[in-house]
Amino acid sequence: MSWFTYPFNATYCASKHAALAVTDAARIQLKAQGTQVLAVYAGFIDTDMASELVGAGQPKTSPRQVAERTLQGIRDGIHHVRADKQSEETWDSVRKDPEGLEKSMQQAWDNR
């Protein structure tokens, strides 16, 4: 997700931050013509790409759920679609306790 930096894949996180910046700018630029631009966030989605990245027991979100929540977001006119529990929890954590999240990332890195 583009809201925080996970130290084990910082370059991937940087690309997600950049994608969010472009999405937010496009939303502003295209609003006057009636174009809706939204960002969709999810943890691991049950795809071939994630099949080797996720350990046993790690939850994955179905592509169907991501699509359903995205369509609901379009209908509701929201800017940020949180497509699964992991994205909802991360969104809350980043907003409620950014320093705590940073500490947990530091601890994960230090204990590797």
Side-chain angles (χ1 to χ4, degrees):
M1 283 174 261
S2 54
W3 311 312
F4 73 100
T5 301
Y6 186 63
F8 298 96
N9 57 1
T11 54
Y12 179 77
C13 291
S15 72
K16 293 296 182 182
H17 282 297
L20 177 58
V22 170
T23 301
D24 288 344
R27 180 181 309 108
I28 293 166
Q29 293 169 342
L30 300 174
K31 182 178 182 178
Q33 71 179 29
T35 301
Q36 182 182 359
V37 177
L38 61 147
V40 179
Y41 309 96
F44 290 107
I45 301 172
D46 193 8
T47 62
D48 291 342
M49 178 182 157
S51 67
E52 305 218 4
L53 297 175
V54 181
Q58 186 77 10
K60 289 188 248 178
T61 304
S62 73
R64 180 181 190 92
Q65 179 176 323
V66 175
E68 288 171 350
R69 288 201 180 180
T70 300
L71 291 172
Q72 189 61 50
I74 292 168
R75 286 189 289 271
D76 293 345
I78 64 173
H79 299 311
H80 302 276
V81 174
R82 290 166 304 279
D84 61 9
K85 184 177 179 180
Q86 185 176 358
S87 63
E88 290 168 350
E89 290 173 353
T90 303
W91 177 271
D92 290 342
S93 179
V94 168
R95 274 142 188 78
K96 291 178 184 172
D97 188 15
E99 291 169 358
L101 180 60
E102 185 176 340
K103 279 184 180 181
S104 70
M105 293 297 107
Q106 184 67 57
Q107 185 176 22
W109 180 256
D110 292 345
N111 293 331
R112 69 186 187 287

